[in-house]
């Protein structure tokens, strides 16, 4: 039986990509701010409705550079319900994640618990719009402002999400995106740092290029965080077809909604925000059922994933003092179902049948 993975990278028109590759070969300009990176930056900034967008090598380096650019120190309040990179990137930069539990319905950082977790060493809040579901941005902005904290959104899942008619990516001092191959918009590997602040944008640009301002002028500590021309070419091709990607994902999403047992618990979506149909998470009653259903699927070559288990407060190297029972509970019962444009109805029906049969 045909394998169905959690996702499958979108492959755009091959001939168009080849044309870009021919151009790159002719120019022999491969990286360090080439024309295709420039073009993709300006097209994405316009498409997403943001002032500054700096393309980088991946979402993890986007986080690390953002922490440096905002001069974070001490501890950073963040969500335990995320991909490991959200918090491992903090530790990599010598910062301590301070986990605050999530809301049981939205799966996002619970704003009511943030204030009590702030101490004299806290320098920032790093919420995650998990599965593209917008956080309670007004409340979080207020807390950050009142406590003089920087605010960085891990928006790795929130490509093209709008909140109250504006890009969600305009929230905070910085938002970051991931353009990994598994994401709905991708550049093979890649990511972006987004900000409305001119100075921050300038610093980030210098930082991802070793701190150079110009050829013989090094103005700050930097790293190599650049995207290359082959990746930008992929991004330009995928962006051209983004309308199709979104439409197909919505159809898949609607098909699940229509045919899955309607007693299944789902993430409560922010009513002020749009969706990008990046993930389809569902919750079962307990971990045992979740694992049984995941294994049943696996026996039929279907690879659903437990994004995001384990809850990050349980990862030993963080040595977290804070325990997050809600996040642990959600992480133990969640299963993300396959969603990608090539997934057809018969494939989806195989998934739906396994789940619905298991629940009777
Ligand atoms: N913040 C958040 C909230 C994130 O979710 C992520 C990344 C980051 C930050 C960091 O951004 P990056 O530094 O990665 O840009 C995947 C992705 O690697 C990761 O980017 C993503 N989040 C995470 C949620 O998912 P894995 O370990 O689940 O990927 P993997 O290799 O198991 O791939 C999943 C399935 O996709 C495979 O079973 C088969 C299929 N696949 C995958 C690749 C790479 C393909 O068919 N072709 C491919 O080329 O992490």
């Amino acid at each position: 039986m045909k394998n169905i993975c959690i996702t499958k990278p979108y492959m755009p028109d091959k001939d168009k990509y080849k044309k870009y590759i021919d151009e790159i070969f002719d120019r022999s300009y491969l990286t360090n701010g080439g024309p295709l990176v420039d073009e993709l930056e300006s097209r994405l900034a316009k498409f997403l409705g943001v002032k500054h967008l700096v393309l980088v090598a991946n979402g993890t380096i986007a986080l690390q550079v953002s922490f440096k650019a905002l001069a974070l120190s001490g501890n950073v309040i963040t969500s335990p319900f995320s991909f490991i990179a959200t918090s491992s990137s903090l530790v990599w930069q010598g910062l301590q994640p301070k986990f605050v539990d999530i809301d049981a319905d939205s799966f996002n950082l619970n704003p009511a618990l943030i204030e009590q977790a702030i101490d004299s060493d806290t320098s920032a809040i790093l919420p995650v719009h998990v599965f593209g579901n917008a956080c309670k941005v007004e409340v979080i902005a207020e807390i950050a402002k009142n406590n003089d904290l920087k605010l960085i959104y891990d928006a790795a899942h929130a490509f093209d999400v709008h909140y109250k008619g504006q890009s969600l990516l305009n929230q905070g001092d910085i938002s970051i995106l991931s353009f990994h191959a598994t994401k709905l918009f991708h550049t093979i590997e890649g990511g972006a740092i987004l900000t409305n602040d001119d100075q921050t944008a300038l610093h980030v640009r210098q930082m991802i290029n070793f701190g150079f301002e110009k050829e013989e002028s090094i103005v700050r500590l930097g790293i190599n965080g650049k995207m290359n021309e082959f990746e930008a070419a992929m991004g330009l091709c995928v962006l051209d077809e983004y309308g199709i990607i979104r439409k197909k994902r919505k159809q898949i999403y609607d098909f699940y909604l229509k045919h899955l047992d309607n007693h299944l618990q789902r993430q409560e979506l922010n009513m002020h925000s749009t969706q990008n149909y990046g993930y389809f998470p569902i919750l079962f009653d307990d971990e045992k059922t979740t694992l049984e259903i995941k294994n049943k699927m696996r026996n039929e070559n279907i690879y659903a994933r437990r994004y995001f288990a384990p809850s990050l407060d349980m990862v030993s190297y963080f040595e977290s003092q804070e325990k997050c029972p809600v996040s642990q509970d959600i992480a133990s019962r969640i299963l993300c179902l396959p969603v990608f444009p090539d997934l057809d109805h018969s494939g989806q029906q195989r998934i739906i049948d396994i789940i619905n049969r298991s629940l009777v």
Side-chain angles (χ1 to χ4, degrees):
M1 230 180 295
K2 212 165 98 184
N3 272 8
I4 304 180
C5 290
I6 178 75
T7 188
K8 189 172 160 197
Y10 183 78
M11 300 310 286
D13 184 76
K14 208 199 243 177
D15 290 332
K16 192 185 268 186
Y17 190 60
K18 277 183 181 158
K19 261 183 86 184
Y20 279 117
I21 301 304
D22 287 344
E23 283 176 27
I24 297 172
F25 268 73
D26 290 346
R27 267 195 301 269
S28 58
Y29 201 92
L30 308 184
T31 186
N32 290 2
L36 298 183
V37 167
D38 286 351
E39 186 182 340
L40 184 60
E41 275 190 352
S42 50
R43 275 188 62 191
L44 276 175
K46 196 164 166 221
F47 175 75
L48 296 172
V50 296
K51 188 170 180 195
H52 298 287
L53 180 148
V54 180
L55 286 172
V56 294
N58 55 63
T60 306
I61 200 85
L63 286 165
Q64 289 172 227
V65 169
S66 302
F67 305 154
K68 267 278 189 243
L70 297 176
L72 304 193
S73 62
N75 68 58
V76 172
I77 288 174
T78 192
S79 169
F81 189 69
S82 186
F83 189 59
I84 184 71
T86 307
S87 286
S88 60
S89 57
L90 287 168
V91 176
W92 200 267
Q93 292 303 125
L95 300 159
Q96 181 63 37
K98 193 160 190 196
F99 295 114
V100 163
D101 212 347
I102 56 167
D103 171 73
D105 299 319
S106 70
F107 308 167
N108 284 331
L109 206 51
N110 184 344
L113 303 176
I114 295 178
E115 207 121 35
Q116 67 204 54
I118 297 169
D119 63 30
S120 54
D121 282 339
T122 308
S123 60
I125 309 174
L126 171 64
V128 182
H129 302 297
V130 81
F131 306 133
N133 193 27
C135 290
K136 294 222 163 111
V137 289
E138 284 101 347
V139 190
I140 296 175
E142 192 68 19
I143 297 170
K145 189 166 160 238
N146 291 344
N147 292 279
D148 201 17
L149 300 177
K150 299 290 183 196
L151 181 53
I152 301 164
Y153 277 100
D154 182 337
H157 304 169
F159 185 84
D160 187 36
V161 174
H162 284 74
Y163 177 80
K164 294 188 176 170
Q166 279 225 12
S167 175
L168 179 63
L169 304 168
N170 279 312
Q171 297 292 329
D173 296 293
I174 286 182
S175 286
I176 73 94
L177 285 167
S178 164
F179 300 149
H180 184 259
T182 54
K183 296 287 188 290
L184 74 167
F185 168 81
H186 78 91
T187 59
I188 310 173
E189 288 274 3
I193 299 173
L194 302 98
T195 181
N196 284 317
D197 185 66
D198 299 348
Q199 191 82 342
T200 305
L202 176 70
H203 291 181
V204 160
R205 258 188 210 295
Q206 293 165 344
M207 280 179 166
I208 63 159
N209 188 27
F210 311 100
F212 279 106
E213 181 191 43
K214 47 185 188 267
E215 201 172 303
E216 288 172 16
S217 162
I218 300 163
V219 290
R220 63 192 69 254
L221 177 66
I223 195 166
N224 182 357
K226 290 166 272 122
M227 178 178 279
N228 67 54
E229 290 287 278
F230 294 87
E231 290 169 335
M234 178 60 86
L236 287 165
C237 294
V238 176
L239 189 57
D240 281 345
E241 295 172 38
Y242 179 71
I244 303 166
I245 297 175
R246 195 177 180 287
K247 191 171 158 212
K248 287 200 173 161
R249 283 182 168 272
K250 182 175 179 344
Q251 284 165 357
I252 290 162
Y253 193 93
D254 290 344
F255 194 82
Y256 276 138
L257 280 186
K258 187 164 173 210
H259 297 285
L260 274 172
D261 187 311
N262 57 16
H263 293 100
L264 279 167
Q265 202 186 321
R266 300 199 32 250
Q267 182 185 30
E268 192 177 288
L269 301 175
N270 189 321
M271 61 188 285
H272 300 294
S273 112
T274 61
Q275 293 175 62
N276 65 13
Y277 313 103
Y279 294 84
F280 197 96
I282 50 175
L283 288 181
F284 296 102
D285 286 345
D286 50 49
E287 185 162 34
K288 187 168 165 283
T289 313
T290 312
L291 289 171
E292 276 169 10
I293 293 178
K294 185 181 180 227
N295 287 335
K296 275 186 197 166
M297 288 192 193
R298 185 158 284 221
N299 292 338
E300 298 196 25
N301 301 334
I302 296 164
Y303 300 90
R305 291 289 286 268
R306 295 175 77 204
Y307 291 141
F308 290 101
S311 176
L312 297 181
D313 56 310
M314 301 298 282
V315 174
S316 58
Y317 71 76
F318 292 129
E319 297 176 346
S320 176
Q321 304 296 307
E322 299 76 32
K323 291 298 165 216
C324 303
V326 179
S327 175
Q328 287 175 25
D329 174 54
I330 301 290
S332 73
R333 298 190 289 121
I334 201 155
L335 203 59
C336 284
L337 302 184
V339 183
F340 51 90
D342 276 359
L343 181 60
D344 58 22
H345 282 346
S346 69
Q348 270 194 286
Q349 197 60 55
R350 280 168 58 200
I351 298 165
I352 291 162
D353 288 346
I354 294 170
I355 295 171
N356 288 354
R357 271 202 307 264
S358 306
L359 294 177
V360 287

